[in-house]
Amino acid sequence: MSHKRVAILISGGGSNMVSLVDSMIGDHPARPCLVLSNDAQAGGLVKAAERGIPTASVDHRPFKGDRAAFEAELLKPLEAAQPDIVCLAGFMRVLTGDFVSRFQGRMLNIHPSLLPKYKGLNTHARAIEAGDEEHGCSVHEVTAALDDGPILGQARLQIEPNDTPMTLAARVLVWEHKLYPAVLRRFSSGDHTPVLLP
Ligand code: GAR
């Protein structure tokens, strides 16, 4: 059996990318084929290279908002890596419908909220401000609409009375690192039923 090839897109520290890469060993049906960033300085690129994974970056800034032109460049290393599955892991650029449709049904994203709540940014602060009792993270299939698409897994936790956006983000991140690898393993074996944690 040949392994599914997984490309991972990042923008920053890449802690979710590391949790995915480190999970793809042994009898896991997938292996990493590329870590790609929109920022050559992203800390995650070093961590990927240390793990022997091919890396590439395409700086979005020279494209000055021309998403189609940026994505055309992003597609070059991505398509060359021939991924079966594309994982967005803290990738902070909005992708066009054209780009997303190329990977329809095989592109995943992790988002730090219990979707459909709190699409977009500042999710932890918004959950606290709303007085929510629970919060968490979601992995979903990527569709053209932002932070939308079928849910493939969620992890929930209680918001504590003294939580700040920072303390909450740190606790959610611990669950992200459990959820995303669990979803990727299940998804790459062809099973799309949601993973629910804890
Ligand atoms: C993670 O919390 C991820 O859920 C979030 O960015 C962080 C990246 O951390 N993603 C989004 O907000 C997507 N809109 P990491 O680089 O350490 O994985």
Side-chain angles (χ1 to χ4, degrees), residues 119-142:
K119 298 175 180 182
L121 300 175
N122 303 319
T123 58
H124 310 297
R126 287 157 69 200
I128 290 172
E129 257 162 49
D132 290 359
E133 285 175 9
E134 30 163 51
H135 185 48
C137 50
S138 306
V139 175
H140 63 96
E141 248 178 66
V142 177

Side-chain angles (χ1 to χ4, degrees), residues 88-110:
L88 308 182
F91 185 69
M92 303 306 279
R93 307 305 302 167
V94 173
L95 296 168
T96 67
D98 270 356
F99 187 92
V100 168
S101 67
R102 287 173 183 266
F103 303 100
Q104 194 170 349
R106 54 198 184 96
M107 185 184 276
L108 315 186
N109 180 43
I110 187 154

